[in-house]
Amino acid sequence: MKQFNFNRFTQALRCHLMVSRKSIVTLFGIGTLIMLMADLFFTRISFHDYDERVAQWGLQEVIETYQRDVEASSVFAAFFFCIAMLIGASMLFRQMKTTPQRSAFLTWPVSNLEKYVIAVLHHVVLMFLMAFAAIILADALRVLLDWSTGRVVIWSFTMPFKNISWAEWQQYWMFLTWMFYFHSLFIVGGTLFRRQQFLLTSMTIVVVSILLMMLLNQFSWDGFEMTTGTWDEKTLTYTRIYYPAFYIVCIAGDLLIAFHYWASYKLFCRMQVINNKWLNV
């Protein structure tokens, strides 16, 4: 069998999505409901006296206050999105819980690479799209409710993108590195652990992080700096300086991310129908 055949891959992907369409719709509905309830909590329960505040303080003052509550819902949306992506990564092979499911998936007439890409598209890319769509749909329903009841219309899902500035692209590089690093850890955990993948991966990360911090605290890090900053009193601007150690750490993180994804695929290739009770080895 060829390692990767595009026509065979598209047919298998279509079949996989058709079989999983019920769970996809259910998961999307649950995510939308969670986000809608959160949006209504921040804007309706926490800000239930909108009309009274307008009458007492004026519309402009209330708009500024109400915008902060909408911003709080956007912060929750970002948290929801991150958790959804980690759960999706840990559910990479959720369809292989039972022995018949494992047997059916592993004996599927497609290559291991095609099976792995299908799992990534289903539980990572599709989860990304569903989480983003759930946030937008819930925000649209909340805005529709605000508009129908005479409140000011403020969208929350656009707020995280308003203050993006590429002046310090290094900060975004580090943020993305950390984000994909944790995602790659959950990808490995979702492949390695046979059951309770999200819980076991989270516990493993916490334990290893504590042990690593205890180990690193035994060394002296005097003189090791990644960034520093200077404040200009004349122009009232803050300038951040990035040392070579910053770029080395970021590059090392990116290499670890690639290694984790590669290790996940190699672990999948070693899976058998009958494996360890807790591990897929």
Side-chain angles (χ1 to χ4, degrees):
M1 181 180 293
K2 295 176 62 176
Q3 186 69 7
F4 193 94
N5 182 279
F6 185 76
N7 291 331
R8 185 178 59 213
F9 165 74
T10 54
Q11 293 176 3
L13 177 61
R14 188 183 303 111
C15 175
H16 187 75
L17 293 177
M18 290 296 295
V19 172
S20 308
R21 63 185 183 276
K22 184 177 180 180
S23 61
I24 292 172
V25 174
T26 301
L27 194 60
F28 175 71
I30 293 174
T32 303
L33 182 61
I34 291 174
M35 278 307 309
L36 180 59
M37 292 298 101
D39 288 344
L40 295 180
F41 172 80
F42 286 109
T43 60
R44 290 284 163 173
I45 298 178
S46 299
F47 212 94
H48 60 89
D49 54 346
Y50 180 88
D51 295 330
E52 291 80 358
R53 295 191 188 191
V54 171
Q56 182 179 359
W57 297 340
L59 181 60
Q60 187 60 39
E61 182 69 24
V62 171
I63 288 177
E64 295 178 0
T65 307
Y66 188 59
Q67 185 172 1
R68 287 195 291 269
D69 283 8
V70 176
E71 288 177 352
S73 70
S74 70
V75 173
F76 179 85
F79 174 77
F80 166 82
F81 180 81
C82 293
I83 295 298
M85 292 305 299
L86 295 182
I87 292 176
S90 64
M91 293 169 54
L92 196 62
F93 296 105
R94 186 174 63 92
Q95 69 274 21
M96 297 173 59
K97 284 186 175 182
T98 65
T99 300
Q101 289 176 331
R102 297 173 68 86
S103 178
F105 190 78
L106 291 177
T107 57
W108 207 8
V110 292
S111 67
N112 284 335
L113 181 58
E114 291 165 0
K115 295 174 189 175
Y116 186 81
V117 173
I118 288 173
V120 170
L121 290 177
H122 184 197
H123 294 289
V124 177
V125 178
L126 186 60
M127 179 65 78
F128 173 89
L129 297 176
M130 287 196 301
F132 192 68
I135 292 171
I136 295 177
L137 179 57
D139 195 35
L141 294 174
R142 191 266 309 166
V143 166
L144 179 62
L145 180 61
D146 285 352
W147 174 77
S148 62
T149 55
R151 290 194 177 191
V152 62
V153 173
I154 302 176
W155 292 88
S156 69
F157 81 92
T158 60
M159 288 183 173
F161 306 101
K162 289 182 177 179
N163 298 322
I164 291 181
S165 173
W166 297 107
E168 292 191 16
W169 56 269
Q170 294 93 336
Q171 292 295 311
Y172 296 106
W173 182 17
M174 173 167 280
F175 172 76
L176 290 174
T177 297
W178 275 110
M179 184 175 66
F180 279 100
Y181 180 76
F182 278 103
H183 187 264
S184 68
L185 290 178
F186 277 86
I187 284 281
V188 173
T191 311
L192 177 62
F193 295 113
R194 184 172 181 177
R195 57 183 67 184
Q196 303 294 336
Q197 292 91 344
F198 182 80
L199 178 61
L200 292 177
T201 303
S202 300
M203 292 174 58
T204 302
I205 291 175
V206 171
V207 172
V208 172
S209 297
I210 293 174
L211 295 176
L212 186 61
M213 291 301 298
M214 293 174 60
L215 176 63
L216 294 177
N217 286 335
Q218 304 302 315
F219 300 93
S220 175
W221 297 96
D222 295 338
F224 181 84
E225 288 185 283
M226 293 195 300
T227 64
T228 188
T230 58
W231 176 261
D232 192 333
E233 295 290 346
K234 295 182 179 179
T235 60
L236 299 179
T237 56
Y238 182 81
T239 303
R240 190 182 301 274
I241 301 173
Y242 296 90
Y243 294 119
F246 172 87
Y247 299 98
I248 294 174
V249 169
C250 286
I251 292 174
D254 294 338
L255 293 176
L256 279 175
I257 292 169
F259 171 75
H260 288 159
Y261 288 132
W262 174 83
S264 172
Y265 171 68
K266 288 300 182 181
L267 283 171
F268 168 71
C269 292
R270 293 176 59 87
M271 284 187 189
Q272 303 294 328
V273 175
I274 304 299
N275 280 335
N276 184 274
K277 181 179 180 180
W278 290 96
L279 302 177
N280 285 317
V281 292

